[in-house]
Amino acid sequence: MLTYLEARDKIRSMVKQLPTERIPLAQALNRILAYPIFADRDYPPFNRAAMDGVAIRMEDWNNGIREFRIRTTIFAGMETPTTIATGECYKIMTGAACPIPADTIIRKEDLTFTPNGTALIRRESISRGQHLAQRGEDLKKNELAVTAPRVCDISLIGTLAALGIHQAPVYKMPTVGIVTTGNEVVDIQQQPEHFQIRNSNQHLLRALCEQWQLPIRSCQHVSDEPKALSAALKQATQQQLILINGGVSAGDADHVPQILRELGVEILFHKVSIKPGKPLLVGFLPEGKIIFALPGNPLSCFMTFKLFVEDYLHGCLGFTNERFQTSTLTIPRFKKSSLDEFFPVFRHAGEYGYTWKPHHGSGVITATVGCDGIGWHVHNKHVIAENDSIPVLSLHPFFNIIKPY
């Protein structure tokens, strides 16, 4: 049986870069930018007034001039005049282009405007270039503006718009087929019998996929009857990423592994020495489609998606950073097994580090409610002492993978 790291590395060996597409910027929120973006011109493209006031030549100030004749008023978006003479200034508004040779802005609060059409400066000292954004001080033409890959978050959308990127180059996410299994599982709208449970995992998987902007092309539930299961799995394999839930353990009704083999799926591995999620199966088809058969218990389903499916997607999108970050567990934790154990961790406002709370097995439906991440209790450490450092995986799929501009 593979260890967690061995299983993770096998999945990483299957990673292949996703194709790209261009989509309207209005649809790009939370998609992954595929290519770096370069400045199409200087930013700002002109010397820009950062305050309302007047624009003067510093040379005039240094020569003792304190009262300037206003040549004209410049508003944002106006074509600028050509020049000013000694002792002249422009009245200028925030955002307007400041024409050369004016090189310094005096804000309105430091001025007195006279009836004679002049501006009297009421300051004892000023500095060259004050309140003036210099052309190209943010970006020079052809300079790298945005690295990739990175998440098209709200702030990046605004930057891309400013750079004129109306069609964003993003990775094209793989289509998904979801199959949940189990005779005991019924639709959430149905009132279950005392021996039945609602199909919570189907909605869990849908939500996880939607968080990654994965297009779900098929989603169905099927009984544990082999013929029906085979037909459902065959249909799901029309998609590029296949998620199966349940039917992968060692029970008499766990037909998924055998049916996948009959459908031509090569099994990469089956079972991992982790808790929860030990029965996990991962396979692939000759054309490169990948199959994750996740255990049926809710916590196992959640954990194996976060640990393995997301790691695969992470690699396909070109991210190379370490997903787990070191943090502190403020409450001791003990384990008896020699497995890598993963558990929900919680962070409370105003407190340092993470806490955890016991739960009664991987079938508990409330174990992850309100949690902030996944703690990793490594296989060879039986006791995590109070305030020990542990690896923690954020619940946000893109946490810590945003590179600097």
Side-chain angles (χ1 to χ4, degrees), residues 112-392:
T112 296
F113 293 105
T114 73
N116 298 324
T118 64
L120 179 64
I121 299 176
R122 294 182 286 101
R123 285 189 65 87
E124 294 183 1
S125 64
I126 64 172
S127 57
R128 184 186 299 275
Q130 67 179 29
H131 309 311
L132 187 65
Q134 299 294 322
R135 176 176 177 171
E137 71 176 19
D138 187 1
L139 291 167
K140 298 290 187 184
K141 184 176 181 179
N142 298 322
E143 184 180 351
L144 176 64
V146 179
T147 58
R150 62 182 302 119
V151 183
C152 291
D153 58 17
I154 292 170
S155 59
L156 183 59
I157 293 292
T159 299
L160 293 177
L163 291 164
I165 306 300
H166 55 92
Q167 293 286 321
V170 298
Y171 282 110
K172 187 175 184 179
M173 302 302 284
T175 60
V176 178
I178 297 175
V179 177
T180 57
T181 70
N183 294 335
E184 78 282 17
V185 179
V186 299
D187 188 87
I188 64 169
Q189 297 182 24
Q190 182 177 333
Q191 182 61 43
E193 300 290 344
H194 70 276
F195 52 86
Q196 295 175 320
I197 58 173
R198 295 185 177 94
N199 194 352
S200 62
N201 284 345
Q202 183 182 95
H203 292 270
L204 170 64
L205 290 172
R206 290 187 71 99
L208 288 165
C209 288
E210 288 167 7
Q211 189 177 33
W212 276 83
Q213 306 283 299
L214 293 167
I216 301 169
R217 294 288 182 258
S218 69
C219 183
Q220 57 181 314
H221 180 76
V222 65
S223 69
D224 290 319
E225 193 277 315
K227 187 174 180 180
L229 188 56
S230 179
L233 295 181
K234 184 176 182 179
Q235 180 181 341
T237 56
Q238 301 303 306
Q239 308 309 320
Q240 297 160 320
L241 171 63
I242 299 93
L243 302 177
I244 305 164
N245 184 240
V248 289
S249 193
D252 292 344
D254 293 322
H255 304 297
V256 167
Q258 180 57 36
I259 292 173
L260 288 176
R261 292 187 180 93
E262 293 170 359
L263 293 174
V265 173
E266 183 170 340
I267 305 302
L268 190 65
F269 62 82
H270 185 195
K271 296 186 179 178
V272 188
S273 56
I274 62 173
K275 182 181 180 181
K278 183 178 177 182
L280 173 72
L281 180 151
V282 179
F284 61 94
L285 285 164
E287 60 268 37
K289 297 175 179 179
I290 191 162
I291 297 95
F292 290 88
L294 313 178
N297 280 328
L299 186 58
S300 299
C301 178
F302 176 82
M303 290 291 186
T304 49
F305 186 99
K306 300 295 291 184
L307 294 172
F308 297 102
V309 180
E310 287 193 358
D311 198 82
Y312 172 75
L313 293 170
H314 190 263
C316 290
L317 291 166
F319 294 111
T320 58
N321 63 292
E322 174 55 49
R323 297 176 67 226
F324 279 89
Q325 301 299 304
T326 301
S327 192
T328 299
L329 193 67
T330 60
I331 300 176
R333 188 178 191 274
F334 305 86
K335 75 180 181 73
K336 297 179 180 179
S337 77
S338 59
L339 307 177
D340 285 296
E341 293 189 2
F342 298 92
F343 56 98
V345 292
F346 303 81
R347 174 165 275 169
H348 303 289
E351 295 183 8
Y352 176 75
Y354 291 89
T355 62
W356 72 284
K357 57 186 180 183
H359 54 79
H360 302 290
S362 59
V364 175
I365 64 173
T366 59
T368 59
V369 174
C371 80
D372 297 286
I374 296 170
W376 178 4
H377 195 154
V378 296
H379 66 280
N380 58 354
K381 184 174 183 176
H382 292 287
V383 179
I384 301 174
E386 181 180 346
N387 293 324
D388 267 2
S389 294
I390 64 165
V392 174

